[in-house]
Amino acid sequence: MSYSKLNDYIRSLKKSPQIGNQVVFHKIFKAEAAVFAQPMAPWPNPIQQIIKACGLSSLYRHQVKAVDLIRSGQNVVVATPTASGKTMTYNLPVLERVMQDELSRALYLFPLKALAQDQRKTLVRLAGTGEGLAPTAAIYDGDTSAWHRKKIRQAPPNILMTNPEMLHLSLLPYHQQWQAFFSHLQFVVIDEVHSYRGLLGANMACLFRRLHRVCEYYRARPTFVFCSATVGNPVDLAGQLTGLDVSAVTKSHAPQGQRHFLLMDPLNGPAQLAIQLLTAALHRRLRTIVYTQSRKLTELIAMWAQNRAGEFSKYISAYRAGLLPEERRDVESKLANGELLAVITTSALELGIDIGDLDLCLLVGYPGTIVSTWQRAGRVGRSGQESAMVLIAGEDALDQYFIHNPEQLFSQPPEAAVVNAENPEIISRHIPCAAAELPLKTSETYLASPAYQDTVSQLTNAGKLLCSADGSRYYAKLKQPHRNVDLRGSGKRFRILHRETRQQIGEIDGFRAFRETHPGAVYLHQGARYIIDTLDLETETATAIPAQVDYYTRVMGQKDTEILNIADTKALTGTRFHVGRLRVRDQVTGYERMRIRGNKVVGRVPLDLPPQVFETEGIWFTVSEVVRAAADRNKVHFMGGIHAIEHAAIGIFPLLVIADRNDLGGIAMPFHPDIESAVIFIYDAIPGGAGLSREAYLRAEDLLAYTHRAIRTCPCETGCPACVHSPKCGSGNRPIDKAAALFLLAKITTKVLCSPTGKQNVVNIERKPSLPERPSLRRTALPQRFASRAKHGRTVVRIPERCPKAKPVLHYGVFDLETQRSAAEVGGWHRADRMRVSCGVVYDSKDDHFHVYRDSEVMELINHLKRFEVVVGFNVKRFDYQVLSGYSDFDFTRFKTLDLLEKVHLQLGYRLSLDRLASSTLGVQKSGNGLLALKWWKEGKMDDIIRYCKKDVEITRDLYVYGKDNQYLLFMNKAGQVVRVPVRW
């Protein structure tokens, strides 16, 4: 490609009478020369040969800085642009170490399987140019055959390339089979670390902490190397993910060719303009990549472009998630060797897969973040040639924001990528996995944080963790809890089945199922339309029917928000910003059918779905009564204004933090009882929180300023999707008032307002009486920088201590009986009423005496049981009461009964015998069993039956007392460990 072709393309584009006027901005970045440096310690000859084979006399300065840190054993994050040589920064130190120690091992983690394939080729090519280098390298992922997996486990390579799911499901749970690998692990390389955010990031933070535990067990202390796109907080991100101290390399010294950046506002839609630009590029043989925002649009643009490209149609291909591995690799190979001139793709080709030297990048819609924009721009001009990127704006808020503020696209710093490493919902799924891998010691650093300690307590109380008898260790209840953890989802997964064939056509996160797969929803899958027929919450399945409809569906709903705690508060011009924990109640109440052409409502259908209630993190800011009074005087629609501000703030939120609209929720309330004023909430839309809100709180002033500017600069008159309308609004964007939003923002962004009394309008709450203390307040505390502070004039509510009252002594009885007949003799256990009583024994806590009743005295036994406040037994509800029902019509469910077997079963999910509990808890064993008691009845040995029954009652009583005093019982699990089962009675 020559210089004149690209310049001719841009010149023709700007002069075109059809589309030239759609170019609203053009910026040129001048070429930059490379800066080289020498490492602190010279490279051995094979490594020098590799560097020379790459056409370099030395490494770039930023590469040298990184490798010096890595060679000294320091953890490092390299956050530089695409094509800046990040791969060399970790491959060279790893290859050098393999030269020095053939037993050394390295773990390379990639978020996508295609990246692992690409990086293995690069590694093999590099090693092949270094004389004497012969490292072993292997990919271990879902495409690796079972035979090869076994071979890799038996003889681990020097470099193992895998992905998070395989680390979670195959390496850590079976670490004993990987002992040779973990014992000699010296490097962990985490590529594309900026992609680990949100739900995936929270799961990855837990996964890396589990990896640390296993490494410590094998006495390995690997150096961690992180590679990232240029994000706003690379050190924080790596630290949040792993808990490690990390050094950063962020300034690139790689060469860069001249780059053009054009911003276009299309008249007939971004897709049509993209096809025009692509067709013109093909005729000039410019190698082009087109990024879209969805799989469907990728396929449509590829199809439309092929229809218009004539002889060039065979040089165009689509690339997206969902293609078979061999199909993806075929496209990648053809791009790299020049057989293809253009590829239309989703974000699947945003990451660092080698696809050769491209000239032109077309973005069909703003990618959502500055980070992604420059990551995609970096796919062109990789060899230093002149290149261009064209951003074709859509109707979304951020697209239009940059249309009206183009210079900010270049001056805006990269957004922060944030992780909530202590999301209680997520860590509660990973702690059992850690305990299954290695028993958890109460003293180990893994459990040091309050969030982990509180979660362990909850898991133990719920029976998902089992504490050892001495309280020093925790064991997992399940042998393999890993299968219940989805690293890329929030928990439950709903299957979507074809109603007729019962074949699975998709799946969806349980948190999104109510909104996207409710009965009547239009569901799209691989270009086909379905109508959801049923949503079964118990089986977690939805059924769908193929349908050709000319509408789509949009849910309607109701939300309310309860403040659980306030972590921090700050005054900001005419408002106050808060950050803390919220409890959100979100209920889908129905849906609208929206005509595809024209977006008109053609029907509304009510739904009866249960609410989703979850705790999360959020920010909120108040609108004072002074502002509201001013709005009333000026006849401004107050509710329409705050609703519009909420939508606009969520739309502009990704300028601060890497997120999209689906990561967030919001609600505007004209009066909130906890705050006693109008308030606008924005919260992380996943249980436990993703860390987005707390990061945005640090830049609250920017959030208000960007929101104001986005609404003010939008040319629409009454509001549109580019400023104050939201595609996911539960009330159908009603009421919305753009003018009211501008009026209110002008008030709250100019000065601190005062109430009519002259006092500053400040909300003074730390913990209001209307917000009772909850255990979750401790469990979900935010990081230290957001710790609640005893200032700002907030009131701390203290509840006075009261003198404890003496508890009354409970009158309880412990009961057991033996029968005359077996289940086989009466036709099954369901006919226990026919078994007849041989003897029954009742322990009475009031007289501390065992009372014996024979068959003829059963009515006296029943009357004795009626005296107790509580009847205690073991399997008494399912068996003993059924036997007694053969003597009386009395409703035994009227007894307040504590059935120890039932309690243990509810806690563990499986039953334990009385003997198993007694032997571990009390150190005693039963004196017989039911079959022996039946034999004694037939032999007339009544005294033996009474002694046996009395012993069972004594054991049951002692277990009850032990559990009441200690709040647990003991038993030996299948692994031979004596553990606790928590009990509360």
Side-chain angles (χ1 to χ4, degrees), residues 574 624-627 751-762:
S624 72
E625 285 301 312
V626 175
V627 174
K751 61 181 179 178
V752 178
L753 294 166
C754 294
S755 67
T757 62
K759 296 180 180 179
Q760 187 177 341
N761 186 34
V762 174

Side-chain angles (χ1 to χ4, degrees), residues 162-182:
T162 188
N163 55 52
E165 280 75 13
M166 296 303 288
L167 178 62
H168 167 63
L169 293 171
S170 296
L171 272 73
L172 295 182
Y174 304 100
H175 59 85
Q176 296 90 346
Q177 300 177 22
W178 294 89
Q179 180 176 352
F181 180 78
F182 283 115

Side-chain angles (χ1 to χ4, degrees), residues 81-111:
T82 305
S84 58
K86 289 191 285 285
T87 301
M88 296 279 278
T89 63
Y90 58 80
N91 273 333
L92 296 185
V94 169
L95 290 173
E96 180 186 36
R97 187 66 57 85
V98 172
M99 282 181 55
Q100 299 164 348
D101 178 8
E102 62 182 15
L103 293 177
S104 68
R105 299 290 184 264
L107 176 67
Y108 285 15
L109 271 182
F110 301 100

Side-chain angles (χ1 to χ4, degrees), residues 136-367:
T136 55
I139 294 174
Y140 193 88
D141 61 21
D143 294 340
T144 308
S145 68
W147 184 85
H148 276 103
R149 288 192 198 181
K150 183 178 179 180
K151 296 290 288 183
I152 291 170
R153 286 194 301 269
Q154 290 174 340
N158 295 116
I159 302 167
L160 183 70
M161 299 179 174
T162 188
N163 55 52
E165 280 75 13
M166 296 303 288
L167 178 62
H168 167 63
L169 293 171
S170 296
L171 272 73
L172 295 182
Y174 304 100
H175 59 85
Q176 296 90 346
Q177 300 177 22
W178 294 89
Q179 180 176 352
F181 180 78
F182 283 115
S183 297
H184 298 92
L185 184 62
Q186 298 190 35
F187 297 96
V188 176
V189 175
I190 303 164
D191 199 20
E192 308 292 353
V193 71
H194 62 279
S195 65
Y196 297 144
R197 58 186 187 270
L199 271 177
L200 176 59
N203 278 290
M204 292 301 296
C206 294
L207 183 63
F208 287 133
R209 282 156 178 78
R210 286 166 44 205
L211 173 61
H212 281 308
R213 291 188 73 234
V214 171
C215 288
E216 287 177 359
Y217 179 75
Y218 291 104
R219 298 182 180 179
R221 297 181 61 85
T223 299
F224 279 71
V225 182
F226 307 87
C227 291
S228 173
T230 305
V231 294
N233 61 334
V235 172
D236 286 346
L237 175 61
Q240 291 165 5
L241 281 169
T242 60
L244 297 172
D245 293 328
V246 181
S247 300
V249 176
T250 57
K251 170 68 175 174
S252 174
H253 295 278
Q256 179 67 64
Q258 181 165 285
R259 294 171 292 161
H260 297 262
F261 194 106
L262 288 86
L263 185 58
M264 301 187 69
D265 191 11
L267 297 177
N268 298 315
Q272 294 304 316
L273 179 55
I275 293 168
Q276 288 178 276
L277 296 177
L278 175 59
T279 304
L282 288 169
H283 281 84
R284 289 174 172 80
R285 291 191 171 273
L286 296 175
R287 301 183 64 197
T288 306
I289 186 167
V290 182
Y291 282 101
T292 74
Q293 304 294 74
S294 70
R295 297 184 187 184
K296 182 180 179 182
L297 191 56
T298 293
E299 296 284 5
L300 287 174
I301 290 179
M303 180 178 66
W304 293 334
Q306 287 168 341
N307 290 339
R308 297 189 193 180
E311 61 179 303
F312 293 99
S313 62
K314 62 183 178 181
Y315 299 112
I316 303 172
S317 177
Y319 185 103
R320 58 172 177 78
L323 296 178
L324 296 174
E326 54 270 24
E327 292 174 323
R328 293 197 304 268
R329 289 166 196 159
D330 182 57
V331 174
E332 294 160 14
S333 174
K334 288 180 178 178
L335 271 175
N337 62 29
E339 291 182 54
L340 288 176
L341 282 177
V343 63
I344 297 90
T345 181
T346 60
S347 59
L349 273 180
E350 181 179 313
L351 303 182
I353 300 169
D354 184 8
I355 52 175
D357 297 327
L358 305 179
D359 308 308
L360 176 65
C361 175
L362 303 179
L363 302 183
V364 186
Y366 176 63

Side-chain angles (χ1 to χ4, degrees), residues 31 242 410 424 503 573 593 641 787:
T242 60
F410 308 99
Q503 288 185 326
T573 60
R593 295 192 181 106

Side-chain angles (χ1 to χ4, degrees), residues 764-767 789-790 793-798:
N764 294 316
I765 66 172
E766 171 75 22
R767 192 93 74 235
R789 298 193 290 264
R794 294 198 296 243
T795 302
V796 179
V797 177
R798 292 184 174 86

